[in-house]
Amino acid sequence: MRCWYRPRRTRSACDILAEFFDGPFDWSRIRAAAGEFRLLSAIDDPVNAADPMEHVELLVRGLGARAVVLPSGGHLGAYAADHIDLPEVVTLAEEVLAHRG
């Protein structure tokens, strides 16, 4: 799998996450373990540059996830400069919980 992460510091996130992304994901095993998936991403996510939608599409296809892509939000609070309120997270969590009844 191609690493979509771009370095933010001296050590590349690709280097840090290399083992995680080594080889293909076992999508059926992942789907069976959790059952239902929601994905929240931002189109301006600097970690998933140069094409954040490629990352989203990979996860949607592999997991059968429902995705919500925000027009902005960076890496959705991963860095101190981009802490934001995310009411979309509550909505996505409520959807999953409602299906589990």
Side-chain angles (χ1 to χ4, degrees):
M1 168 180 287
R2 183 173 70 78
C3 182
W4 53 78
Y5 292 96
R6 301 287 184 244
R8 281 188 71 90
R9 295 180 177 76
T10 306
R11 187 168 177 214
S12 165
C14 280
D15 294 337
I16 295 167
L17 297 171
E19 185 177 326
F20 179 77
F21 292 106
D22 188 26
F25 288 121
D26 185 343
W27 294 116
S28 60
R29 185 174 179 197
I30 296 168
R31 284 190 305 270
E36 203 171 332
F37 297 89
R38 299 295 185 271
L39 175 67
L40 180 63
S41 188
I43 199 68
D44 63 347
D45 186 338
V47 175
N48 294 325
D51 186 359
M53 288 307 297
E54 179 183 0
H55 174 72
V56 169
E57 290 168 7
L58 171 76
L59 295 172
V60 165
R61 278 193 313 272
L63 299 172
R66 183 171 97 65
V68 173
V69 180
L70 304 175
S72 63
H75 200 56
L76 302 176
Y79 306 103
D82 100 300
H83 283 196
I84 58 175
D85 290 329
L86 292 169
E88 296 86 358
V89 171
V90 174
T91 302
L92 294 172
E94 288 174 343
E95 283 179 11
V96 172
L97 293 172
H99 287 106
R100 292 187 180 196

